[in-house]
Amino acid sequence: MHFVLEYLLNKGKISKALAEKIQKESDVLEKKIEEILVEREISSEDEIAKIKSEILGVPYRFLKKKEKIPSEILNLIPEEVSKKYQVIALGKKDDVLEVGMVYPKDEKAQDILRFIARKLNLDIKIYVVRRKDLEIAWRGYELFDKEISEVFEELRRQGRKFRPLHRIISLEEATGVLTEEAPIIKLVSVFLKYGVRYQASDIHIEPLKTKIRVRYRIDGTLRTVAYLPLEILPPIISRIKILSNLKIDETRIPQDGRFSTIIDGKEIDFRVSTFPTAVGEKTALRILDPEVGLKKFEELGVILTNRLIIERAIKKPFGMILVTGPTGCGKTTTLYALTQKLKSEEKNIVTLEDPIEYFIEGLNQSQIKPEIGYSFASGLRQILRQDPDIIMVGEIRDEETAALAVHAALTGHLVLSTLHTNNAIGVIPRLVDMGVPIYLLPSSLAVMIAQRLVPKICPFCKEKVKPDPETEKIIDESIESLPEKLKNRIKIEKPYFVWKGKGCPKCHYRGISGRIAIFEAFEMTDNLAKIISKGIDEEKILEETKRQGMLTMRQDGILKALKGIVPIEIILRETE
């Protein structure tokens, strides 16, 4: 039995039956024991690294999220060796090279490190590191501009001339162009690799009048990373179409596809959309990196009353939890976080999605296909025959889906879904507009949530500033209107201070790094049921949310701004 399993078994953290089951799963699937333990949330990466350190007598070292290893150290172990053997150069002291290993007992990795040590005439000191430490360190290998330059240098050496843009080419011709052009394959690979490394959500490859512009959407903002000659657009688009199994010789209509590839040791999904423009096809690729896009509930930024309300709701065996907000506000991320918190061996969770963004172990995920009649509504009918405990519906778009979701909640299922409204209070009138009878809402609705995504201030360059008088007045009004219980609990004192990012190399001089959500949530109560039974009155519903002590999105955002998490001006703009 694997030594980590034996340790957990001896400490009473897992049963013998579970240890044997995990060992068997590892043998059958040829998968690392550590990966299975992390996937099943039995142990964290941190805990496993510490266990290895204790058992093997090897010290552990964890890197900080933005820590950067100097390139002269990092390159002592070549990138391809680092990724193949899961090792990384951490530092050098005198004649000793400090090396991090995810799997210190890996004999092949040990052999290659001994070879490198002899070549460099250095001794080696080993540290146990986590997989995430490798990913932090690997960013130091980034040479985006250099790799792009190398591709074009190769094209110049070959003296390549590309086909004219404005014509439709045959499948054979397009494939021929592609197979001839190894540099184009490398170019597309560079775009994908650095899109993942920069934690971009999307890659845009778009033709302009005289050139191609490549942009990454990072933290919600598009940033131009490269300009390329317009004549190489067809082979770039052809390469992407081949990867995503699209029709290469069809350039007149939009197409959608998907493909997966391994980047930095992780399987990354890309959702592809092509779109014809006057000067050539534009391509947008959505990057679906589970380590970036998938969040645990605790990482969402749900605090205080909002958190208590949502946690209460997911413990119930039935009812609807509806998340609302505009497109791109992170609703699906919240649904995924809730399903991950709910998943267990004892529960059958079935989802209907359009599209499936992330594949999650333990969930039964289904992709709807309206073109063949498989819609959210028809899928919901079938789901109820699958003996589900929890149902996740990507979006309630029409009256039929709304009616079926309510029916599922009334018949003993926990239903998670999304709607498009401006705030949490708008959920009830929206459902009524969609034909749901008012008398069914008290029995079916559990919690209504609204959210927005806002940028986070870079923690490395943030500085404290005093707000202007107008902003201070708004903060004062928001704090004063907080529920009394919350005011006594959080105790915010004057003078108020907010924060802003000055800009530094770690945030690419933007002053922001990452995004977080602001929330508001309220629940169905007997008092709310009485209010809506007399008709939809949004003012009375608002009064009930205040009675419940709901933390509004503005209040939630202002509290996060006072803690230095988000910029106050963004909060005021997003919640006006």
Side-chain angles (χ1 to χ4, degrees):
M1 186 179 290
H2 193 277
F3 68 94
V4 173
L5 287 179
E6 285 182 352
Y7 180 94
L8 293 172
L9 184 59
N10 293 334
K11 292 287 184 180
K13 295 193 174 184
I14 58 173
S15 65
K16 187 174 181 183
L18 181 57
E20 289 173 348
K21 185 178 179 181
I22 292 170
Q23 183 67 63
K24 189 174 182 180
E25 186 178 333
S26 172
D27 295 339
V28 171
L29 299 178
E30 296 183 350
K31 200 170 188 178
K32 298 279 188 186
I33 292 288
E34 296 93 329
E35 292 176 17
I36 297 171
L37 289 169
V38 171
E39 274 179 12
R40 290 184 166 219
E41 297 181 359
I42 295 168
S43 288
S44 66
E45 280 195 77
D46 294 21
E47 186 181 5
I48 290 170
K50 289 174 182 177
I51 290 170
K52 289 178 182 176
S53 174
E54 183 179 332
I55 294 173
L56 302 174
V58 176
Y60 67 84
R61 179 171 165 189
F62 297 164
L63 298 182
K64 293 176 183 175
K65 198 171 184 180
K66 298 282 185 178
E67 190 170 340
K68 194 163 185 179
I69 297 167
S71 58
E72 63 271 16
I73 298 295
L74 196 67
N75 286 302
L76 292 174
I77 297 177
E79 184 176 3
E80 59 273 17
V81 171
S82 173
K83 289 177 177 176
K84 183 174 181 179
Y85 296 102
Q86 306 285 282
V87 298
I88 201 80
L90 296 171
K92 182 173 169 288
K93 291 181 181 175
D94 300 323
D95 294 330
V96 177
L97 178 63
E98 297 172 337
V99 176
M101 298 182 73
V102 176
Y103 306 109
K105 292 185 78 173
D106 185 332
E107 292 182 4
K108 288 183 179 178
Q110 291 172 4
D111 288 343
I112 196 73
L113 288 177
R114 279 193 286 267
F115 173 77
I116 290 171
R118 283 196 301 272
K119 191 176 176 183
L120 297 173
N121 198 26
L122 295 171
D123 292 325
I124 283 185
K125 182 176 181 180
I126 301 297
Y127 289 87
V128 178
V129 294
R130 306 161 299 181
R131 167 75 199 191
K132 66 176 79 168
D133 295 313
L134 291 186
E135 288 161 12
I136 291 167
W138 283 339
R139 291 182 195 134
Y141 286 120
E142 292 173 4
L143 295 165
F144 182 85
D145 292 336
K146 184 170 183 270
E147 290 193 38
I148 294 287
S149 299
E150 286 174 356
V151 169
F152 279 92
E153 182 59 36
E154 189 171 345
L155 286 172
R156 276 192 291 272
R157 281 200 309 271
Q158 293 177 359
R160 289 296 186 200
K161 291 186 178 179
F162 297 95
R163 274 81 171 163
L165 272 173
H166 303 293
R167 65 190 187 95
I168 298 170
I169 56 176
S170 69
L171 177 63
E172 293 77 13
E173 187 181 0
T175 309
V177 171
L178 191 59
T179 53
E180 289 173 9
E181 307 299 351
I184 296 299
I185 295 174
K186 184 178 179 183
L187 186 63
V188 172
S189 176
V190 168
F191 293 152
L192 302 182
K193 178 170 69 175
Y194 286 101
V196 171
R197 287 186 178 177
Y198 292 160
Q199 296 189 356
S201 61
D202 301 86
I203 303 171
H204 292 256
I205 300 171
E206 47 201 354
L208 305 179
K209 193 172 182 181
T210 59
K211 57 193 171 187
I212 302 168
R213 179 173 62 185
V214 181
R215 295 191 289 175
Y216 291 159
R217 188 176 292 281
I218 301 171
D219 297 334
T221 304
L222 282 170
R223 291 173 52 203
T224 300
V225 295
Y227 286 106
L228 309 172
L230 187 59
E231 61 268 20
I232 68 168
L233 181 67
I236 289 175
I237 300 298
S238 294
R239 172 62 181 163
I240 293 169
K241 284 181 175 179
I242 281 183
L243 288 171
S244 42
N245 202 27
L246 299 179
K247 294 177 181 177
I248 298 175
D249 56 341
E250 180 54 83
T251 62
R252 299 163 298 178
I253 59 173
Q255 296 186 70
D256 293 318
R258 189 172 186 145
F259 68 91
S260 298
T261 188
I262 303 295
I263 294 176
D264 291 342
K266 299 181 291 183
E267 185 175 333
I268 308 293
D269 283 338
F270 291 88
R271 212 169 70 217
V272 178
S273 172
T274 67
F275 186 78
T277 74
V279 287
E281 284 184 283
K282 176 189 183 301
T283 303
L285 299 95
R286 169 64 55 89
I287 302 173
L288 301 171
D289 182 349
E291 292 188 11
V292 175
L294 280 180
K295 306 283 185 186
K296 291 186 177 178
F297 178 71
E298 294 74 18
E299 298 172 333
L300 292 178
V302 189
I303 60 172
L304 302 170
T305 316
N306 291 335
R307 181 164 182 162
L308 292 174
I309 287 170
I310 295 170
E311 287 182 337
R312 242 190 332 260
I314 61 176
K315 287 175 183 174
K316 294 178 180 177
F318 60 88
M320 291 174 70
I321 298 174
L322 296 180
V323 185
T324 186
T327 301
C329 72
K331 299 188 294 294
T332 304
T333 300
T334 299
L335 289 188
Y336 277 133
L338 291 174
T339 53
Q340 288 189 94
K341 192 172 179 69
L342 287 162
K343 75 175 182 178
S344 72
E345 294 279 346
E346 294 79 33
K347 289 176 182 171
N348 177 23
I349 303 178
V350 188
T351 78
L352 277 177
E353 303 176 53
D354 182 27
I356 296 172
E357 293 200 3
Y358 299 101
F359 294 97
I360 302 175
E361 191 80 20
L363 269 59
N364 301 292
Q365 297 172 266
S366 183
Q367 164 81 55
I368 71 159
K369 295 177 181 175
E371 64 273 14
I372 59 169
Y374 183 43
S375 62
F376 281 123
S378 60
L380 257 175
R381 287 196 193 88
Q382 294 302 319
I383 276 182
L384 294 173
R385 298 172 189 170
Q386 288 290 318
D387 185 30
D389 298 294
I390 298 161
I391 300 168
M392 184 186 113
V393 181
E395 186 182 345
I396 295 177
R397 294 177 180 171
D398 52 54
E399 294 182 8
E400 191 178 6
T401 307
L404 288 164
V406 167
H407 173 70
L410 290 171
T411 52
H413 304 91
L414 188 61
V415 180
L416 312 176
S417 192
T418 69
L419 274 176
H420 282 287
T421 66
N422 290 327
N423 51 36
I425 292 168
V427 169
I428 292 172
R430 177 76 180 121
L431 288 173
V432 172
D433 287 344
M434 295 177 87
V436 177
I438 289 177
Y439 65 85
L440 292 181
L441 293 179
S443 306
S444 57
L445 265 178
V447 166
M448 292 129 280
I449 306 165
Q451 68 178 76
R452 297 285 188 280
L453 268 183
V454 293
K456 290 169 68 178
I457 300 171
C458 173
F460 297 97
C461 63
K462 70 179 183 179
E463 60 180 8
K464 188 188 288 187
V465 294
K466 202 166 185 318
D468 61 66
E470 188 179 343
T471 302
E472 189 168 0
K473 184 182 176 185
I474 294 171
I475 294 172
D476 211 20
E477 289 170 355
S478 293
I479 299 300
E480 280 303 309
S481 62
L482 284 171
E484 285 303 320
K485 285 183 182 178
L486 277 184
K487 273 198 278 190
N488 295 332
R489 181 177 167 187
I490 56 183
K491 292 180 182 175
I492 295 171
E493 296 179 357
K494 292 183 179 181
Y496 302 127
F497 286 98
V498 292
W499 303 75
K500 69 175 183 178
K502 292 187 297 182
C504 66
K506 291 189 176 179
C507 64
H508 301 286
Y509 299 97
R510 293 179 301 128
I512 58 171
S513 178
R515 291 191 290 174
I516 194 169
I518 53 173
F519 293 89
E520 63 184 29
F522 71 102
E523 58 193 334
M524 181 59 69
T525 58
D526 292 340
N527 201 42
L528 181 57
K530 287 176 186 174
I531 290 170
I532 64 176
S533 67
K534 296 174 184 176
I536 302 302
D537 187 327
E538 291 197 27
E539 283 189 17
K540 289 184 178 178
I541 295 174
L542 179 59
E543 286 173 15
E544 167 60 16
T545 65
K546 289 178 180 176
R547 190 195 67 76
Q548 289 185 21
M550 181 180 86
L551 191 67
T552 66
M553 279 189 285
R554 170 161 282 198
Q555 290 168 335
D556 185 22
I558 285 174
L559 290 177
K560 285 171 179 166
L562 293 174
K563 286 184 178 180
I565 299 171
V566 296
I568 186 69
E569 62 274 11
I570 302 290
I571 296 299
L572 300 185
R573 187 185 71 204
E574 289 291 327
T575 60
E576 61 183 3

